[in-house]
Amino acid sequence: MKDLAGRVALITGAGSGIGRGTAMALGARGVRIIAADIDEAGTGQTVMEILAAGGEAEAIRCDVGVDGPLDLARDLALKRFGRLDILMNNVGVIINGRPEDIPIAEWQRIFNLNFFSVIRATHAVIPHFLAQGSGHIVNTASIAGLYPYAYDRTPYAASKAALISYSENLAIYLKPQGVGVTCLCPGPVATQIRKSNVSWTDGLPTHGPGDQFGRMDPRDVGEMVCDAIVADRFFLPTDDQVLPILVDHARDIDAYLAAELRRWE
Ligand SMILES: NC(=O)c1ccc[n+]([C@@H]2O[C@H](COP(=O)([O-])OP(=O)(O)OC[C@H]3O[C@@H](n4cnc5c(N)ncnc54)[C@H](O)[C@@H]3O)[C@@H](O)[C@H]2O)c1
């Protein structure tokens, strides 16, 4: 999508963190924003900041965990701004615990919010993008879905791996029809995501992706998303260190896992 100015974007999880950072970055490039979130104070703040910077935006309370609200968010974009060009599926929540301590209902909740919410949104928006012959979908996954580095957040990592696979196959389907797909795979970003954490194993330490990663500013991630949409780029890791790790993992998965096991000895 070469020109961003005048476009309209629907962003879920836009009340905080990466969603807000991307809403601000797109807003500054002339994209009109529908900021969707369950946190109305958060989206109110996002909209206020976009308006203060000279952009256009509107908030909608939207729970991506149930059927219906995403259809209303799509309809709001079409009614308020007369078009919809970009969908960013960005809601994600975390969980901590040994795999066997996490109840099945919690596994389902994490997959519902991190993965099935994206299916709901793409169901709501794909027919519109296909009919107009253009559009762009950004799915926020994580480096946690690219290669293993921790056993204490397996539902999160597995839901992000599912999202990466879904995004790749979706890109093959949509690209020939004029619709781009970007899979954002952030490393650590300074956001409120820890507030969503539920812990199911007392005292279990949370393993990080490695000390080599710094915590990025969400607005910088937003700028990278803007550039990826313009360049029609699919794979968007936020850190240059990710690709060599990914290559290492793909070359010999058994050796990679053995090295990870040694890291936690
Ligand atoms: N922060 C990181 O280090 C990091 C790293 C990799 C990937 N990510 C991913 O980035 C995305 C954004 O997370 P963030 O770090 O900005 O977190 P955040 O908690 O700051 O923002 C997430 C937003 O999602 C909203 N939300 C939660 N449940 C919702 C629901 N049911 N319906 C609608 N909105 C809901 C929250 O209210 C919040 O505003 C997530 O998918 C996350 O997995 C984050």
Side-chain angles (χ1 to χ4, degrees):
M1 186 175 288
K2 296 257 175 291
D3 308 312
L4 286 179
R7 305 280 186 175
V8 175
L10 165 59
I11 303 176
T12 69
S16 174
I18 294 170
R20 176 180 290 161
T22 306
M24 298 288 301
L26 283 168
R29 297 195 196 197
V31 178
R32 293 164 287 169
I33 307 294
I34 298 291
D37 203 298
I38 43 168
D39 176 0
E40 291 178 272
T43 46
Q45 179 70 27
T46 301
V47 167
M48 217 176 67
E49 289 184 28
I50 293 170
L51 297 181
E56 280 186 81
E58 183 147 334
I60 182 169
R61 189 186 190 286
C62 175
D63 181 354
V64 301
V66 295
D67 295 344
L70 283 158
D71 297 315
L72 296 178
R74 173 206 59 208
D75 293 346
L76 176 65
L78 297 173
K79 191 167 163 226
R80 171 77 165 81
F81 297 125
R83 56 186 300 140
L84 181 59
D85 305 284
I86 298 164
L87 165 68
M88 182 175 186
N89 294 307
N90 174 69
V91 168
V93 292
I94 55 173
I95 192 166
N96 165 273
R98 291 195 187 98
E100 72 277 22
D101 291 346
I102 299 172
I104 300 294
E106 277 292 274
W107 278 85
Q108 288 170 332
R109 181 178 68 86
I110 296 296
F111 266 77
N112 184 43
L113 291 177
N114 293 2
F115 180 69
F116 284 101
S117 65
V118 181
I119 311 298
R120 281 188 193 99
T122 43
H123 268 63
V125 168
I126 282 176
H128 170 73
F129 283 173
L130 291 180
Q132 73 183 6
S134 69
H136 200 99
I137 296 173
V138 180
N139 291 334
T140 308
S142 168
I143 59 169
L146 286 170
Y147 50 84
Y149 61 80
Y151 63 81
D152 44 68
R153 272 160 296 153
T154 44
Y156 179 78
S159 67
K160 294 298 188 180
L163 183 52
I164 293 166
S165 171
Y166 174 68
S167 303
E168 285 184 312
N169 288 290
L170 194 66
I172 292 170
Y173 169 58
L174 291 179
K175 203 174 160 75
Q177 306 188 70
V179 180
V181 178
T182 292
C183 186
L184 169 64
C185 291
V189 184
T191 71
Q192 303 296 316
I193 197 162
R194 278 176 190 278
K195 282 191 188 163
S196 72
N197 187 51
V198 181
S199 195
W200 288 92
T201 306
D202 285 344
L204 186 70
T206 299
H207 294 120
D211 294 337
Q212 72 272 33
F213 291 103
R215 267 159 45 107
M216 285 187 70
D217 186 302
R219 177 65 188 262
D220 293 338
V221 177
E223 297 296 342
M224 295 175 94
V225 171
C226 293
D227 293 342
I229 295 172
V230 171
D232 195 10
R233 179 175 169 196
F234 175 80
F235 183 44
L236 181 57
T238 56
D239 195 301
D240 290 343
Q241 299 170 88
V242 170
L243 199 56
I245 300 173
L246 200 51
V247 170
D248 203 26
H249 173 251
R251 191 181 295 121
D252 188 339
I253 292 175
D254 281 291
Y256 183 93
L257 285 178
E260 276 303 294
L261 283 167
R262 282 195 297 277
R263 201 152 78 90
W264 305 125
E265 270 170 7

